[in-house]
C-alpha cells in the first residue's frame, strides 16, 4: 500500500533541486488511513533563499486559517510585509536547507478569528482587551492584536515529514480604527511603541502557553515575533521589533531579541527624517534623471527597508504612460544605467516599470550582485 | 562650443556597455544651432538583444508620430506585437551592435494620420481607398492600412549620429470595423490574406516612393514590412507576412521575403487547429498540474508564436487569487518545476503570475537556456 503511493511521489519529485533534504522521494503519507491516494510531495526549490513547501494529494497544503489576514487587514503592505518579514526571522533560526515550510496547520480559522477578537463572555479566548465603556480615543481599550500568522517547519523523519519547529507572528496595531456607531465616522486610537511592546509581549506569552497545550507542539522550538503594523494610509508596511526563540518545552518567554528594522517611502515627506541623507540624495538623483526621460513625467517612488541603520532592501516603482514598446525598451536600458550609477550599492533592489496596461519591464540586483539585470515584457 | 557640450555627454555615457559603437562619448549635437545645450546621448544597452536608443538634450527622442497607433488601434496586442515583430525584422538586416535605434523622425503625426485615412479631395495622400457609395460589408471599400511605424537606424559619423537605414511597418486589417450611421451598430468587412497581401504591397510601393522624395532618405536601405492585424476580439496580435529590403536608392520594390509566422492562444478553442499537437499536449499537462495546486482554480493561458512551423516563443499568463506571500513563493517554485518538466524545450518562455493586486512573480527561460529563473515580488 505504502509502496504504491510512493511511485506517484517520485514522479513529481524527480528533477527537483533538493538542497539538503536527503532522499525525499521516500516521503509518504503520514495521516491518511486509506493510504493509496495520500501523497506528500514538495514544491521544489528555486534557490536556498526559499523553503520548499508541502503538497498533499497533489494540492498545496494551505493554511488552516487561510484568508483571515486578507479579510481583516486593510493595508495590503502590512500583509505582505508581515509575512515576508516573518519568513526572514524564521530563516535565521530554521535553515532553508534543512527545513521544509508548511502553511500553519495548528491554528484554525475560527481559532484565529476568536483570538483576534476582544475577550468577552461569549469569546473567552479573545486576546484583545474587553470592550471598555468609554469610546474616547484616549481612554478606551484599543484593539492591539491585528494579525496572527503560523508557519510550520518540517523535517524528514523516515518516510514522512515531521513537525519540528514553528514560528508565530503577532501583528500589533500602531493605530486602532473604530466607529462609535455602525455607520458613523471613523475614530482612531494611537498605540505607542512602548504600549505595543508591553501588550505584544503579554499576548505572546499567552499564545506560547496555549500552543504548548497541543500535543504536537509540546516539545519543539517555537519562535514568536512581534510586528508593529503601519497605519492604513502608509505606503509601506510596518516592521518587526522583537522576537523570541523558545526552546523545546518552555512555556514562558525568557528572552527577547530586539529587531532594529524600519521602512521608509522615498521621496520622504518633507516633515519626515530618514536614516541616511546619502541614500535620499542618491534616490533623488536617480528620480530626476529618470523623470526627465519622457516629455510627460513618470511617477517614481520607492519602499526602502533599513536594518540596524543600513539600507537592506529597496523596491522602486516607476509608473509611466504607455506609448510604444520601443520606448519601454529604451527607457528600461536607460533606467539600468541610471540605477547602476545613482542607487545605493550592496542592498538588493527591485525596479518595476508599470503603465495602465500593467507591468512593462522589471530590473533587479541581488544583494551579492554588482549589476542590474533587466527583463522587458513582450507580447505576441 | 562643441567641446563644452561634450563634457556633459561623457558623464552619462561613461560606464555604458557600448557594443561596437566605438567612442560614442564623442557624440555631439548635429542640428541645434545654439550649440551649448544640444547634447546627444545613448540609452545604454542591456544586451545585444536590444538597440541603444537616442537621447537628445537629456530627453528621449520620441517619435514624430508618437501616440498615433495607441489612439487608432483598439486591440492592444496588435500594437505590441506589431512593434516587437518589426524590431525583430529590423534586427535581421541592421545589427544591434552596429546601429543605434531612433524613434521615427521623418513621418509626422499629421502625415501618418493623413496616410492612414481614406483618399479624398481634402486628403489626397490617403493610402486607403476612397469611400464607396455602397455600405454593404462585401461591396464597400474597406480600410486596409491601420498602422504605420517608422524606425530609424543611425550610425556614428564623426561626432554625430547619421541616419543610415530605416524600417517601415505597415499593418493591414484582417477585419475592418465600421458604422453606417454615427451611433449605429458596428459592421465588419473581412479582408482575406490574398487581398491584404495585394493591397499591402501596393501601399508599400507608394510609401517607398514617397520616402525617397525626402532628401535624407534618398540613399539609405529601407525595409518595408507587412503585418496582418488580428481581429479586435483576438487574445493575441497579428503577424508579419512579408518584408522587402530596398537597397540604397531603389524606388520600386523588386523582391519580397516571405515571413512564415503565426500566433496562437493556448488552450486552443475547440474549433481551431494548432501547428503542433505535441506542444498543445505539453501545455495542457502543465496547465492541469498548475491548476490543481490551489483549492480555487487559477486561470492559465498562453500566447504562442510559431515561426516556420516551430514554436519560437511563449508567454504564459497565470491568474490566481492572492492569499499570502508564502503561497506565492510555494506556487512559484512549483510552477518552475512543472514548467521545466512539461513546457516545450528550446523556445524562450515567460511566465507571469498575477492576482488582482498585480504581478506576484515571474519566471523566464531564454532561447539558449535550460532552466527557468524565477523572481518573486516582495514588499516592505
Amino acid at each position: 500500500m505504502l509502496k504504491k503511493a510512493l511511485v506517484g511521489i517520485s514522479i513529481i519529485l524527480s528533477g527537483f533541486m533538493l538542497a539538503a533534504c536527503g532522499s525525499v522521494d521516500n516521503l509518504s503519507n503520514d495521516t491518511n488511513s486509506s493510504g493509496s491516494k495520500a501523497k506528500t510531495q514538495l514544491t521544489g526549490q528555486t534557490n536556498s533563499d526559499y523553503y520548499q513547501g508541502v503538497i498533499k494529494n497533489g494540492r498545496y497544503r494551505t493554511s488552516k486559517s487561510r484568508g483571515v489576514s486578507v479579510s481583516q487587514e486593510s493595508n495590503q503592505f502590512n500583509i505582505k510585509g508581515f509575512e515576508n518579514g516573518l519568513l526572514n526571522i524564521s530563516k535565521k533560526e530554521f535553515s532553508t536547507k534543512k527545513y521544509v515550510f508548511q502553511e500553519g496547520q495548528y491554528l484554525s480559522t475560527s481559532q484565529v478569528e476568536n483570538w483576534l477578537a476582544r475577550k468577552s463572555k461569549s469569546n473567552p479566548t479573545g486576546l484583545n482587551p474587553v470592550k471598555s465603556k468609554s469610546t474616547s480615543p484616549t481612554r478606551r481599550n484599543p484593539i492591539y492584536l491585528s494579525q496572527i500568522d503560523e508557519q510550520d517547519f518540517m523535517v524528514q523523519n523516515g518516510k514522512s515529514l515531521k513537525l519540528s519547529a514553528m514560528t508565530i507572528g503577532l501583528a500589533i496595531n500602531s493605530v486602532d480604527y473604530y466607529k462609535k456607531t455602525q455607520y458613523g465616522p471613523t475614530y482612531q486610537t494611537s498605540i505607542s511603541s512602548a504600549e505595543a511592546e508591553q501588550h505584544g509581549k503579554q499576548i505572546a506569552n499567552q499564545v506560547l502557553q496555549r500552543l504548548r497545550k497541543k500535543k504536537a507542539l509540546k516539545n519543539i522550538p517555537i519562535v514568536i515575533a512581534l510586528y508593529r503594523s503601519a497605519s492604513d494610509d502608509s505606503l509601506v508596511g510596518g516592521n518587526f521589533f522583537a522576537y523570541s526563540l523558545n526552546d523545546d518545552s518552555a512555556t514562558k518567554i525568557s528572552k527577547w531579541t530586539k529587531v532594529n528594522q524600519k521602512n521608509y517611502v522615498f521621496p520622504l515627506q518633507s516633515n519626515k527624517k530618514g536614516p541616511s541623507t546619502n541614500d535620499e540624495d542618491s534616490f533623488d538623483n536617480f528620480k530626476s534623471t529618470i523623470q526627465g526621460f519622457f516629455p510627460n513625467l513618470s511617477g517614481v517612488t520607492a519602499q526602502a527597508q533599513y536594518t540596524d541603520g543600513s539600507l537592506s532592501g529597496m523596491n522602486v516603482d516607476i509608473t509611466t504612460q504607455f506609448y510604444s514598446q520601443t520606448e519601454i525598451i529604451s527607457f528600461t536600458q536607460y533606467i539600468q544605467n541610471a540605477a547602476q550609477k545613482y542607487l545605493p550599492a550592496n542592498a538588493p533592489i527591485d525596479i518595476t516599470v508599470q503603465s495602465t496596461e500593467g507591468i512593462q519591464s522589471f530590473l533587479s540586483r541581488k544583494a551579492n550582485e554588482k549589476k542590474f539585470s533587466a527583463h522587458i515584457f513582450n507580447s505576441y
Side-chain angles (χ1 to χ4, degrees), chain A:
Chain A
M1 195 81 103
L2 204 58
K3 278 196 178 161
K4 236 180 177 175
L6 296 178
V7 176
I9 299 167
S10 55
I11 289 169
I12 302 226
L13 284 170
S14 63
F16 275 18
M17 290 165 55
L18 288 169
C21 293
S23 54
V24 186
D25 21 11
N26 286 328
L27 278 178
S28 84
N29 51 313
D30 54 359
T31 50
N32 193 298
S33 57
S34 81
S36 69
K37 293 221 166 177
K39 290 174 280 186
T40 299
Q41 308 158 5
L42 301 181
T43 56
Q45 194 170 33
T46 293
N47 62 53
S48 61
D49 285 352
Y50 298 111
Y51 293 103
Q52 297 206 75
V54 178
I55 298 167
K56 203 98 186 183
N57 295 329
R59 284 203 172 173
Y60 187 57
R61 200 166 202 201
T62 54
S63 164
K64 283 266 193 301
S65 62
R66 188 182 196 217
V68 176
S69 290
V70 174
S71 68
Q72 304 230 338
E73 173 63 54
S74 51
N75 187 337
Q76 184 72 19
F77 297 121
N78 279 333
I79 300 176
K80 275 214 164 189
F82 179 53
E83 288 180 354
N84 267 323
L86 194 63
L87 263 187
N88 288 335
I89 288 172
S90 294
K91 284 175 203 165
K92 283 189 197 172
E93 302 296 338
F94 313 124
S95 161
T96 57
K97 292 181 182 169
K98 177 178 171 193
Y99 292 89
V100 170
F101 172 84
Q102 180 180 264
E103 303 275 349
Q105 298 298 314
Y106 295 88
L107 298 179
S108 66
T109 295
S110 63
Q111 217 159 14
V112 169
E113 282 173 348
N114 289 341
W115 290 16
L116 289 175
R118 287 187 183 280
K119 189 169 185 157
S120 67
K121 266 190 192 160
S122 64
N123 183 37
T125 61
L127 288 170
N128 277 304
V130 293
K131 195 168 181 177
S132 42
K133 286 226 169 86
S134 170
T135 55
S136 149
T138 51
R139 274 173 296 166
R140 68 188 274 274
N141 291 334
I143 298 279
Y144 294 104
L145 181 65
S146 68
Q147 285 189 78
I148 299 177
D149 192 18
E150 175 202 341
Q151 300 179 341
D152 300 346
F153 296 94
M154 323 293 288
V155 292
Q156 204 190 348
N157 182 24
K159 295 191 167 177
S160 66
L161 288 172
K162 187 171 182 287
L163 180 74
S164 306
M166 182 179 276
T167 299
I168 298 284
L170 303 173
I172 311 295
N173 280 323
S174 56
V175 180
D176 175 33
Y177 299 88
Y178 70 104
K179 286 176 187 296
K180 297 184 182 179
T181 54
Q182 197 176 0
Y183 301 107
T186 298
Y187 296 87
Q188 308 181 1
T189 297
S190 293
I191 298 166
S192 70
S193 300
E195 286 174 289
E197 185 171 341
Q198 185 208 330
H199 288 273
K201 288 182 176 177
Q202 278 170 8
I203 293 169
N205 263 303
Q206 285 182 272
V207 168
L208 181 61
Q209 277 169 35
R210 292 181 187 182
L211 294 176
R212 290 298 188 203
K213 287 187 181 140
K214 292 177 194 268
K215 202 183 152 204
L217 314 183
K218 279 203 186 311
N219 263 301
I220 58 167
I222 297 180
V223 165
I224 302 190
L226 297 175
Y227 182 82
R228 180 164 163 81
S229 302
S231 59
D232 278 1
D233 59 353
S234 173
L235 295 173
V236 74
N239 57 281
F240 280 92
F241 58 91
Y243 78 93
S244 67
L245 170 61
N246 303 284
D247 281 330
D248 293 33
S249 56
T251 55
K252 202 171 172 301
I253 297 171
S254 55
K255 185 176 160 262
W256 286 98
T257 304
K258 203 175 142 102
V259 178
N260 181 13
Q261 203 160 59
K262 208 156 165 21
N263 302 326
Y264 296 86
V265 176
F266 286 163
L268 284 175
Q269 288 176 289
S270 51
N271 59 344
K272 292 208 172 167
K273 222 185 142 323
S276 158
T277 49
N278 248 350
D279 291 351
E280 287 157 44
D281 290 348
S282 298
F283 179 79
D284 287 346
N285 287 333
F286 172 75
K287 180 180 156 86
S288 58
T289 304
I290 292 303
Q291 284 192 317
F293 191 75
F294 286 132
N296 42 340
L297 291 185
S298 309
V300 184
T301 59
Q303 295 184 322
Q305 181 165 77
Y306 284 80
T307 306
D308 297 327
S310 305
L311 185 69
S312 52
M314 192 187 252
N315 290 336
V316 181
D317 198 17
I318 301 173
T319 52
T320 187
Q321 211 168 338
F322 174 71
Y323 276 112
S324 76
Q325 184 70 3
T326 46
E327 289 191 355
I328 296 296
I329 292 170
S330 290
F331 191 36
T332 303
Q333 296 189 104
Y334 187 69
I335 291 169
Q336 189 173 26
N337 283 290
Q340 201 86 31
K341 187 177 170 195
Y342 293 112
L343 293 182
N346 304 322
I349 297 180
D350 277 6
I351 305 172
T352 50
V353 179
Q354 312 253 8
S355 79
T356 49
E357 305 291 329
I359 191 165
Q360 298 297 326
S361 69
F362 142 75
L363 303 97
S364 179
R365 189 191 65 197
K366 292 190 182 163
N368 51 353
E369 290 173 351
K370 294 231 158 164
K371 298 220 162 195
F372 281 85
S373 64
H375 187 86
I376 296 158
F377 291 90
N378 73 348
S379 172
Y380 297 114

